[in-house]
Amino acid sequence: MLSASPVLVPSEPHPESLTRLPLVRQMLSDPLVRFAPRAIDQRWHYERVLPVTLAGFNPFLRSVFYASNSAFSRWLADPHGSARDYNEGDHLVREVLFAVHDYLHCWSAEAIAMLAPWTRFDTGPILRDNIEDFVFCQLLTEAAATVGLDYWYLSTFNLAEQIPIGTTLVNLTVNYHERYVSEYRRFCPDWNAQRPGFFNDLARFYCSGVFEGFDVRDLRRSPRLLKWLSHELSYGARQREYTRLWMSYLAAEEISYDPRELTAPVSIDAPWKQRLIHELGLVMFAKIKEDSDSGLSSRARNEPPESPRERPPDFRFVNANVIPLMPEVSTPRESLRYYVLQRVSATAFDGLAAEVRQTLSRALRREEHEEVLRLIEGAERVRPVRDEPRDLFVLN
């Protein structure tokens, strides 16, 4: 099992330290998860040349990946000191919160492996007869990360007051906050997200696409409700699509979905699925609300699921720092796009002149892939990092 030594916590962190947040402390001290740098330069994203961040994630590897040149990498050297000097543009706070989000992915994947070992969710192989079970379990980790960090944690306090470094962030992936609970209850009087059963509700929504308690008429009558739920409704369908695409790429045999099947509901009728949703909600609630591991202990595991080596790379799910693009192989448009984005992110930002970066930015917006690759050809690369993974989810 991948592991890391716990980060030593001083007796009293700086008043402006992000380690004053209990979930950040959990992430830094948990031996289950290691921090894994990747040879990419986050300045391409900070300067809005790249529209997405490409650190990637893979909860099967129990690792939190981050850019080797980033606010997060500099902060890791002294996480218990003031975070203010690392947080220009709120880049650090956002990266730390996304790291916590990915940490909860990893933690819940391990919890699933212990609560439902017959799924072999941490080992595979992924086959035609079990791929939908893997899709279901992966959606549970997404629900755990979102409910745990956004709904049960960030929405319950004022982050800017808790860590006084001038951050503008309120939530990370959803526009929900408990300060607006009276508005939510105008349309759903029994609304209460701060209970273990809410994990059940959101996990079912991610699987089914049906959000109980509100309807379209409610959204039309409340801009606050619309701002929150319009994102969740589109996000749920996208999660099912992306998860099925990724699991089919990792599968040990060729599996393909009809385009309409990608966003179709995921079955939750099996009794073991109902039980797993309930039990995972309970242990997640204890972890977030009570800082308790509920008696769960990590165990030795087999190798995580891996894509077959002979499978042509899909750079939405493959690390371009590890696998090269083969010119003789036909590359689908979306895969090629993510190959180019990854190649740019692995180029040293300061290694190109400002005018070249401007030309590159225009070429990226126009999806002129050959021109982008020509502009960075021969440019300085970010220093390589050992042991980067092959299988990495970077689609976003």
Side-chain angles (χ1 to χ4, degrees):
M1 176 182 296
L2 296 172
S3 62
S5 299
V7 176
L8 295 177
V9 180
S11 57
E12 187 63 30
H14 191 282
E16 297 178 340
S17 171
L18 290 169
T19 61
R20 289 186 171 273
L21 300 175
L23 272 184
V24 174
R25 292 200 301 272
Q26 285 187 29
M27 174 183 70
L28 290 173
S29 61
D30 194 333
L32 167 70
V33 175
R34 69 175 184 132
F35 295 99
R38 294 194 53 236
I40 58 178
D41 190 335
Q42 195 72 334
R43 284 193 64 194
W44 292 104
H45 183 59
Y46 297 164
E47 301 295 336
R48 301 184 180 180
V49 177
L50 291 182
V52 294
T53 182
L54 295 160
F57 88 109
N58 185 338
F60 295 117
L61 301 179
R62 308 297 191 261
S63 299
V64 172
F65 297 100
Y66 64 94
S68 59
N69 183 10
S70 64
F72 187 88
S73 66
R74 293 186 287 276
W75 170 79
L76 269 182
D78 181 24
H80 307 293
S82 172
R84 184 178 290 276
D85 290 341
Y86 304 105
N87 194 43
E88 180 180 356
D90 253 344
H91 299 311
L92 174 65
V93 172
R94 187 176 299 277
E95 288 175 0
V96 169
L97 293 180
F98 267 114
V100 172
H101 180 94
D102 289 354
Y103 162 64
L104 292 176
H105 263 292
C106 296
W107 190 92
S108 57
E110 179 74 4
I112 289 170
M114 289 183 281
L115 293 169
W118 59 88
T119 64
R120 294 180 59 81
F121 181 57
D122 59 341
T123 60
I126 302 174
L127 305 167
R128 289 185 184 89
D129 63 357
N130 70 355
I131 187 170
E132 282 294 292
D133 291 344
F134 271 76
V135 170
F136 166 75
C137 290
Q138 176 59 27
L139 287 175
L140 287 195
T141 74
E142 184 61 45
T146 302
V147 172
L149 179 59
D150 278 292
Y151 285 100
W152 284 347
Y153 193 64
L154 293 176
S155 77
T156 64
F157 62 90
N158 186 320
L159 182 60
E161 293 178 358
Q162 191 85 359
I163 310 295
I165 58 173
T167 183
T168 62
L169 268 70
V170 177
N171 284 80
L172 187 65
T173 62
V174 298
N175 288 299
Y176 176 90
H177 203 280
E178 285 293 316
R179 67 167 67 101
Y180 305 118
V181 70
S182 61
E183 178 68 4
Y184 309 143
R185 288 176 178 163
R186 289 180 184 274
F187 304 94
C188 182
D190 296 330
W191 176 258
N192 179 13
Q194 305 306 313
R195 55 186 174 84
F198 178 68
F199 176 80
N200 190 315
D201 297 342
L202 198 76
R204 288 172 179 272
F205 162 64
Y206 278 179
C207 291
S208 70
V210 178
F211 201 106
E212 300 288 349
F214 304 95
D215 61 32
V216 174
R217 290 172 300 177
D218 299 333
L219 272 61
R220 290 172 178 161
R221 298 180 62 206
S222 172
R224 176 62 59 190
L225 213 58
L226 178 65
K227 185 175 182 180
W228 162 37
L229 286 178
S230 60
H231 169 268
E232 284 289 61
L233 291 169
S234 63
Y235 190 64
R238 190 162 63 247
Q239 282 299 323
R240 294 191 295 277
E241 176 184 3
Y242 288 1
T243 300
R244 284 181 168 123
L245 287 171
W246 187 32
M247 293 300 114
S248 60
Y249 187 78
L250 289 175
E253 54 190 11
E254 289 292 336
I255 301 174
S256 62
Y257 286 91
D258 180 275
R260 290 172 297 181
E261 295 175 331
L262 288 171
T263 58
V266 175
S267 173
I268 56 175
D269 294 335
W272 72 265
K273 291 184 178 180
Q274 306 271 347
R275 186 167 58 253
L276 179 57
I277 292 174
H278 174 71
E279 292 177 351
L280 185 58
L282 291 178
V283 297
M284 279 298 304
F285 193 82
K287 179 175 182 60
I288 304 301
K289 296 295 191 178
E290 302 166 10
D291 198 10
S292 167
D293 63 7
S294 300
L296 293 177
S297 58
S298 59
R299 57 184 176 81
R301 20 177 226 108
N302 298 324
E303 290 299 313
E306 294 182 341
S307 62
R309 291 296 181 264
E310 66 275 11
R311 181 162 294 160
D314 184 335
F315 290 101
R316 296 173 297 178
F317 313 118
V318 168
N319 185 351
N321 283 355
V322 175
I323 303 297
L325 177 69
M326 306 303 290
E328 67 274 14
V329 177
S330 177
T331 305
R333 176 174 171 272
E334 275 301 294
S335 176
L336 178 60
R337 175 174 181 260
Y338 272 88
Y339 172 78
V340 172
L341 293 174
Q342 288 195 61
R343 281 293 310 277
V344 172
S345 73
T347 302
F349 184 86
D350 289 330
L352 293 175
E355 58 269 22
V356 177
R357 295 197 299 263
Q358 292 173 357
T359 303
L360 186 150
S361 181
R362 288 193 295 270
L364 277 173
R365 290 196 299 271
R366 297 168 182 166
E367 297 193 354
E368 297 170 348
H369 300 314
E370 291 185 2
E371 174 66 2
V372 173
L373 294 176
R374 184 191 68 79
L375 288 167
I376 63 174
E377 185 178 6
E380 179 186 355
R381 302 291 298 273
V382 179
R383 176 181 292 184
V385 173
R386 291 181 57 191
D387 300 326
E388 287 202 29
R390 177 184 190 273
D391 294 312
L392 198 66
F393 186 101
V394 295
L395 177 62
N396 59 89

